[in-house]
Amino acid sequence: MAPLIALIVGTALARLTGLAGVWALDGWIPALRVGLAVMFTLTSVAHFVGQRRADLIAMVPPRPPRPGLLVTVTGALELIGAIGLLVPATARVAAAGLGLLMLAMFPANVSAARRGLTLAGRPVTPLGQRTALQIVFVAAATAISFGA
C-alpha cells in the first residue's frame, strides 16, 4: 500500500505546486511523473537494504537463476527509471520502460502470493488486490508514455 500512497501523495503535491505557479509542474502529466518517480524511488530502496531485500529475493520464482542479482538489477532499473521520469526529454521512454518492468516483475508477485510469503514481516498483498494495484501503476506509466 505504501507505493500507492507515494504515487497519490507525490502526484497531489506536485500538482498543487504546479497550481501555485511552478510552470514545470503545471499539468496532470508532469505531476504524475513526479508521483511515479517518488513511488519508484521508494520501491527501489527495498531492493538494496535490510530484511526487505531478503524478502524480495525470496519472492523471485524458483526457476530464474541468481535471484539476488535479479533483485539488484530491477532495483537499479527502478531508480534509473525514476530519475528518467523527472527529465522531460526522457520521461516518456522511462515511463514505457518502467511499465514493461512492472509487467515483467508481476509473475514474482503472483508467485509470492501463491506461496504465502511475507514482506517486512507482513503477508504479501493478496493477488486480487495486487493485480488492481498493478493496473493502476501500469496505467500511470502508460498515461505518461502517451500523454502530453
Side-chain angles (χ1 to χ4, degrees):
M1 201 53 85
L4 179 63
I5 293 167
L7 175 62
I8 292 169
V9 171
T11 301
L13 290 175
R15 185 65 185 117
L16 289 172
T17 302
L19 290 172
V22 177
W23 65 269
L25 298 175
D26 191 19
W28 281 107
I29 295 298
L32 188 58
R33 287 177 27 222
V34 171
L36 202 60
V38 170
M39 183 191 93
F40 274 109
T41 300
L42 173 74
T43 61
S44 72
V45 170
H47 288 76
F48 300 104
V49 295
Q51 184 59 44
R52 287 186 188 261
R53 176 176 170 76
D55 292 344
L56 290 175
I57 291 170
M59 286 177 65
V60 175
R63 288 192 180 194
R66 303 195 57 197
L69 178 62
L70 288 173
V71 168
T72 299
V73 168
T74 56
L77 290 172
E78 287 180 1
L79 190 54
I80 291 166
I83 294 165
L85 287 170
L86 299 176
V87 179
T90 60
R92 287 181 187 215
V93 172
L98 288 167
L100 292 172
L101 182 63
M102 286 185 279
L103 294 175
M105 292 187 310
F106 189 65
N109 291 290
V110 172
S111 175
R114 288 186 175 160
R115 292 185 286 149
L117 299 181
T118 60
L119 186 58
R122 299 196 308 229
V124 296
T125 307
L127 192 52
Q129 185 179 355
R130 179 64 201 173
T131 301
L133 287 170
Q134 194 79 1
I135 290 168
V136 169
F137 300 152
V138 171
T142 301
I144 294 165
S145 293
F146 294 103

